[in-house]
Amino acid sequence: MTAPEGLRPRVRRGAAPWGRVAGGGAAVLVLALLPLFAIDLPGILPGPTYTPGSLQLLALCFAMAAAALSYHLLLGAAGLLSFGHALSFGAGVYGLAVILGHLGLPLVPAALLALVLAIVLALAVGSISLRVGGIPFAMVTLAFAQAGSVLVRRNPGGATGGDEGLSLSAENLPDALVGVVNTRNLYWLALAALVAVYAVVLWIQSSRAGHVAEAVRENELRARVLGLAPFAPKLLVFTVGGALAALAGMVFLLLQSGAVPSSVSSDFTITLLVMVVLGGVGSRWGAVVGGVLYTLLDQRLAALAASPAIKELPPVLRIPLSEPLFILGTLFILVVVFLPGGLAGAAARLRPRRRGAARAPEPEERLERVLEDA
């Protein structure tokens, strides 16, 4: 399926790869050392960076950024506008929770088993939904996600906990991941998961299958005429995206110490879509920034709404500012209207164009390059 015109990814400009690798490595190193310092960011973090509350919030940002990256792989790389991506995320959340609670496996074998089940689920859903395109594709993925949400809430055999959710069984977890005192380890785990997801997304987009998926995204009919078979590359992207979403869901489970039905709802997929659009469709780092920014706003605006400064405002200002969803919705509208390329697009426009910078290839040129690689 080709994404609507307003959600089509921006064309990536040529850039020095080693500079990006060095910059990314430096950013990861700084984030890895952050828990060792007492840095105050008033209004952004609830306390110094070494405190459990701040580390918990940052780790949640990393988990959501990883989930946004997995959705970027579908929308940004292959142009697949799925409304059921929460099913894969929820499969990781509930899959790991059920396996730990009922099978009694240690964390690593349980996570591997949950990941395998999530891959099988994504492969099955993709094999069916990718046989249609356009709006029918979005509706089929939405139907699968709704079925998963209903199944979770029905609590079959008492496995999912129904509307109350499912608590995480800590008996088979390593001691290093249990307790508030070990929040720093969960922070590093979430950061490692984000780096791993980013590396897989980069690898998939750089592979031949990723190039074919991007060519099909630009013009599927022309790709078919030129002899490209779009189904297999799109199924690969869909399956890998589902597996990465499940991995992010497992980290989310460990951070939240439980599974909640909202992680399988269609609203969560819309949240991921907002993150990707906010950061910039087609940009990997944009998806990361969008996921982190949205999560920070979602978590911190609630505290701002209850602050004395907001309560003392006149009703015309106090009422809307006391609703975090109103502020998030307004921000999203402003980004879509005034920054159609998201934060990544705005940064690209502000960055001075280098002399002799590589020209972005046209869709036909991308198709020709794919044929040359075949």
Side-chain angles (χ1 to χ4, degrees), residues 1 73-74 78 80 118-131 137 204 209-210 212-213 216 229-243:
M1 161 185 177
L73 188 59
L74 271 65
L80 298 173
I119 292 174
V120 172
L121 177 62
L123 185 61
V125 173
S127 299
I128 298 173
S129 58
L130 287 173
R131 297 189 181 278
F137 168 82
I204 290 295
V212 173
V216 172
F231 182 80
K234 289 198 296 185
L235 180 59
L236 175 64
V237 168
F238 189 93
T239 304
V240 173

Side-chain angles (χ1 to χ4, degrees), residues 108-315:
V108 174
L112 292 176
L113 178 58
L115 184 61
V116 170
L117 294 177
I119 292 174
V120 172
L121 177 62
L123 185 61
V125 173
S127 299
I128 298 173
S129 58
L130 287 173
R131 297 189 181 278
V132 294
I135 297 301
F137 168 82
M139 293 300 100
V140 170
T141 57
L142 176 61
F144 275 110
Q146 288 296 97
S149 179
V150 170
L151 182 64
V152 165
R153 294 182 183 274
R154 288 292 179 88
N155 192 22
T160 62
D163 291 332
E164 296 181 359
L166 185 63
S167 298
L168 175 63
S169 175
E171 296 180 358
N172 298 307
L173 293 179
D175 294 337
L177 299 180
V178 179
V180 178
V181 69
N182 291 315
T183 307
R184 181 186 300 178
N185 297 329
L186 288 171
Y187 169 89
W188 283 324
L189 177 64
L191 178 60
L194 175 59
V195 172
V197 169
Y198 190 96
V200 173
V201 170
L202 176 60
W203 173 58
I204 290 295
Q205 288 196 256
S206 302
S207 67
R208 184 181 183 277
H211 293 161
V212 173
E214 290 186 358
V216 172
R217 176 199 69 203
E218 299 292 342
N219 193 326
E220 182 170 350
L221 179 59
R222 180 172 173 82
R224 290 181 180 274
V225 170
L226 293 176
L228 298 177
F231 182 80
K234 289 198 296 185
L235 180 59
L236 175 64
V237 168
F238 189 93
T239 304
V240 173
L244 297 179
L247 178 61
M250 296 179 205
V251 176
F252 178 83
L253 171 70
L254 296 175
L255 291 173
Q256 300 296 99
S257 299
V260 290
S262 60
S263 62
V264 198
S265 66
S266 57
D267 292 342
F268 185 76
T269 301
I270 300 302
T271 298
L272 294 179
L273 175 61
V274 171
M275 292 177 182
V276 173
V277 174
L278 180 63
V281 180
S283 169
R284 286 184 295 270
W285 74 264
V288 174
V289 173
V292 170
L293 180 60
Y294 183 95
T295 306
L296 282 175
L297 290 174
D298 184 50
Q299 297 293 319
R300 298 300 294 162
L301 285 178
L304 175 64
S307 65
I310 298 297
K311 293 181 179 180
E312 295 175 358
L313 293 175

